[in-house]
Amino acid sequence: MGVWTRRVEVFAVGELVERLRAGLPDGAVAVDPDVTAAYARDMAGFCAAGEPAVLVFPETVEQVRFVLRTATELRVPVVPQGARTGLSGGANAVDGCILLSLTRMNRILHLDAVDRIAVVQPGVVNAELSRAAEALGLSYPPDPSSWESCTIGGNIGTGAGGLCCVKYGVTSEYVLGLDVVLADGRLLRTGRRTAKGVAGYDLTRLLVGSEGTLGVVVEAVLALRPAPGPQLVLAAEFDSVDAAGRAVCEVMAAGHAPSLMELMDATTVRAVNEMARMGLPESTRALLLVAFDGPDQRERLAEVESLCTAAGATGVVPAEDRAESELLLQARRLSLPALERMGTTMIDDVAVPRSALAAMLNGVAEIADRHRLTIGVVSHAGDGNTHPVVIFDAKDEEQTARARSSFDEIMALGLELGGTVTGEHGIGLLKREWLARELGPVGLELQRQIKAAFDPLGILNPGKML
């Protein structure tokens, strides 16, 4: 980051701040070190954060364009941010940067029940959009676990997923078009508002998941879907991960499209039991939750119950109504809070083919034993996206080193099983090395060329991803 520091010193931070204040409204520029430090990082562990020069809160597209033009003129790095709920260090500051917080650009600009689209600013909170769509009988399906606080801009930046991905897909499948401010302040419009459209290269898909390294999203056109209605849930207990993995494969092979399919390993089940006294049997080595929405949900649950029993389930509990479904889902929602009570947590995000799910969980258990660590796994089983949670004492340097080693071994295992090093959390700082391994030299070179085409000076979120 030295090149950025030298350039800011030439112009002086004072001059940078003065220019920003001249073009932004009162209260939009913060330099208090306590304030800027509070915005310097997201929720990722093991990721360094630099010291920002200034924090800005634009409220309009023109203000974002002004900030980017100023940054280009002064060769100052810019780190775009949403709610900073990310888990990869993608929103962490670099030395001498402008932190560009988009949380004040938080308006839902348009909802259309005929075209089934929403036009929103990047600071709109996911849950607020979901509730606004619901009032029209529609839904915005992507639902990250932080949906009550994470923003649409952040979801787009990381390509976020959620619990419903098995049936409804991830963020990229709902982004129809984007307005993006490029590094030099130009405004780029990509995509469409129509249900169909294949004109030109698909720059919209390219920008989703780019973590602010190619441009700053200032407006998004999102696809909405008819509201699916309440879902019914089934919980199946297994005495082995292999049996649970077989059940997942059998359910998918039978042609079912569950609205949710989540798997918790024994460590996670035990942690939830200790926290909430949910009465789950101590013999449970894996807990599978399957849900269906739609008119035939009871029939589907009955079929899944039979498949789980045939795969070796030791107990199957189908919910009778929405209230019982919520009770069953509570175990999954408490997974991370329960594991966090056990120590510092480092949350991995590795996706594998569904057929390799059991091998992934068994491999993680072996890694935990070898490194003498506790690692709990929760998984979006329906799409093979696993979240191993490494638990350690951050004050113990030796244990912290073992935690980092286990994290790397988990990613290596995912690649060996034909998977990817991130299914929904993004690369950021945390997984740059692993992205290079996954892409290979040709893929990495092409991605760097794309970055240079969008951002020739390299000022947008430098050091992230590539």
Side-chain angles (χ1 to χ4, degrees), residues 177-194:
L178 295 170
D179 281 8
V180 178
V181 178
L182 300 178
D184 58 8
R186 288 180 297 162
L187 183 64
L188 168 69
R189 175 161 288 177
T190 76
R192 63 195 194 278
R193 294 191 179 203
T194 56

Side-chain angles (χ1 to χ4, degrees), residues 72 77 86 107 143 185 196 198 233 245 275 278 292 339 350 353 365 389 428 436:
T72 291
R107 291 189 298 138
D143 62 341
K196 295 167 61 179
V198 293
V233 179
M275 176 181 175
M278 297 196 72
F292 288 92
L339 291 169
V350 178
V389 181

Side-chain angles (χ1 to χ4, degrees), residues 62 165 169 192 227 325 394:
E62 283 307 311
C165 293
R192 63 195 194 278
S325 293

Side-chain angles (χ1 to χ4, degrees), residues 413-447:
L413 173 63
L415 291 181
E416 289 169 12
L417 293 173
T420 175
V421 296
T422 178
E424 57 189 8
H425 291 174
I427 297 297
L429 289 170
L430 192 60
K431 298 185 177 182
R432 287 180 64 201
E433 172 192 349
W434 288 97
L435 177 64
R437 295 192 194 188
E438 181 173 332
L439 293 177
V442 175
L444 186 62
E445 178 186 359
L446 285 171
Q447 297 221 4

Side-chain angles (χ1 to χ4, degrees), residues 312-388:
T314 56
V316 182
V317 180
E320 289 296 324
D321 53 31
R322 189 172 185 176
E324 285 189 12
S325 293
E326 287 301 312
L327 277 175
L328 293 176
L329 286 178
Q330 187 70 359
R332 173 61 179 87
R333 293 195 178 105
L334 291 176
S335 295
L336 185 54
L339 291 169
E340 287 176 335
R341 294 173 72 242
M342 301 172 67
T344 302
T345 57
M346 187 177 190
I347 305 173
D348 213 327
D349 166 40
V350 178
V352 296
R354 297 183 191 102
S355 56
L357 189 60
M360 183 68 192
L361 268 66
N362 284 328
V364 170
E366 292 172 6
I367 291 169
D369 288 343
R370 187 164 60 252
H371 287 280
R372 307 186 310 281
L373 291 167
T374 298
I375 304 178
V377 184
V378 291
S379 172
H380 306 314
D383 52 30
N385 195 176
T386 68
H387 295 305

Side-chain angles (χ1 to χ4, degrees), residues 229-293:
Q231 57 186 359
L232 282 180
V233 179
L234 170 151
E237 301 163 5
F238 296 86
D239 58 11
S240 75
V241 167
D242 290 320
R246 281 197 304 273
V248 170
C249 292
E250 291 298 327
V251 170
M252 300 308 293
H256 292 291
S259 56
L260 173 147
M261 190 180 231
E262 298 289 302
L263 184 63
M264 300 159 55
D265 73 346
T267 298
T268 308
V269 170
R270 195 161 50 245
V272 170
N273 256 346
E274 291 174 0
M275 176 181 175
R277 303 190 182 280
M278 297 196 72
L280 299 170
E282 291 297 320
S283 60
T284 301
R285 307 306 299 168
L287 180 68
L288 181 65
L289 299 168
V290 183
F292 288 92
D293 51 29

Side-chain angles (χ1 to χ4, degrees), residues 86-332:
L87 293 164
S88 66
N92 283 17
V94 299
D95 287 338
C97 76
I98 299 170
L99 287 179
L100 180 65
S101 175
L102 298 160
T103 54
R104 293 184 186 176
M105 296 181 68
N106 57 6
R107 291 189 298 138
I108 297 174
L109 302 173
H110 180 62
L111 286 173
D112 192 317
V114 174
D115 289 323
R116 294 180 181 172
I117 62 169
V119 182
V120 305
Q121 293 182 316
V124 171
V125 171
N126 185 293
E128 292 176 358
L129 173 58
S130 295
R131 285 190 277 267
E134 186 177 6
L136 295 180
L138 299 172
S139 72
Y140 178 67
D143 62 341
S145 58
S146 58
W147 77 303
E148 288 284 4
S149 55
C150 66
T151 62
I152 295 298
N155 294 170
I156 291 170
T158 60
L163 300 186
C164 74
C165 293
V166 58
K167 181 174 182 178
Y168 293 105
V170 296
T171 297
S172 61
E173 296 170 62
Y174 293 87
V175 182
L176 299 177
L178 295 170
D179 281 8
V180 178
V181 178
L182 300 178
D184 58 8
R186 288 180 297 162
L187 183 64
L188 168 69
R189 175 161 288 177
T190 76
R192 63 195 194 278
R193 294 191 179 203
T194 56
K196 295 167 61 179
V198 293
Y201 295 124
D202 193 346
L203 297 182
T204 304
R205 281 282 186 131
L206 175 63
L207 287 158
V208 177
S210 64
E211 301 184 30
T213 62
L214 303 181
V216 179
V217 173
V218 290
E219 188 175 300
V221 181
L222 305 173
L224 303 177
R225 297 286 182 264
Q231 57 186 359
L232 282 180
V233 179
L234 170 151
E237 301 163 5
F238 296 86
D239 58 11
S240 75
V241 167
D242 290 320
R246 281 197 304 273
V248 170
C249 292
E250 291 298 327
V251 170
M252 300 308 293
H256 292 291
S259 56
L260 173 147
M261 190 180 231
E262 298 289 302
L263 184 63
M264 300 159 55
D265 73 346
T267 298
T268 308
V269 170
R270 195 161 50 245
V272 170
N273 256 346
E274 291 174 0
M275 176 181 175
R277 303 190 182 280
M278 297 196 72
L280 299 170
E282 291 297 320
S283 60
T284 301
R285 307 306 299 168
L287 180 68
L288 181 65
L289 299 168
V290 183
F292 288 92
D293 51 29
D296 58 350
Q297 55 192 179
R298 292 189 184 277
E299 291 82 358
R300 294 291 187 181
L301 278 187
E303 293 170 15
V304 168
E305 180 176 0
S306 297
L307 291 171
C308 287
T309 301
T314 56
V316 182
V317 180
E320 289 296 324
D321 53 31
R322 189 172 185 176
E324 285 189 12
S325 293
E326 287 301 312
L327 277 175
L328 293 176
L329 286 178
Q330 187 70 359
R332 173 61 179 87

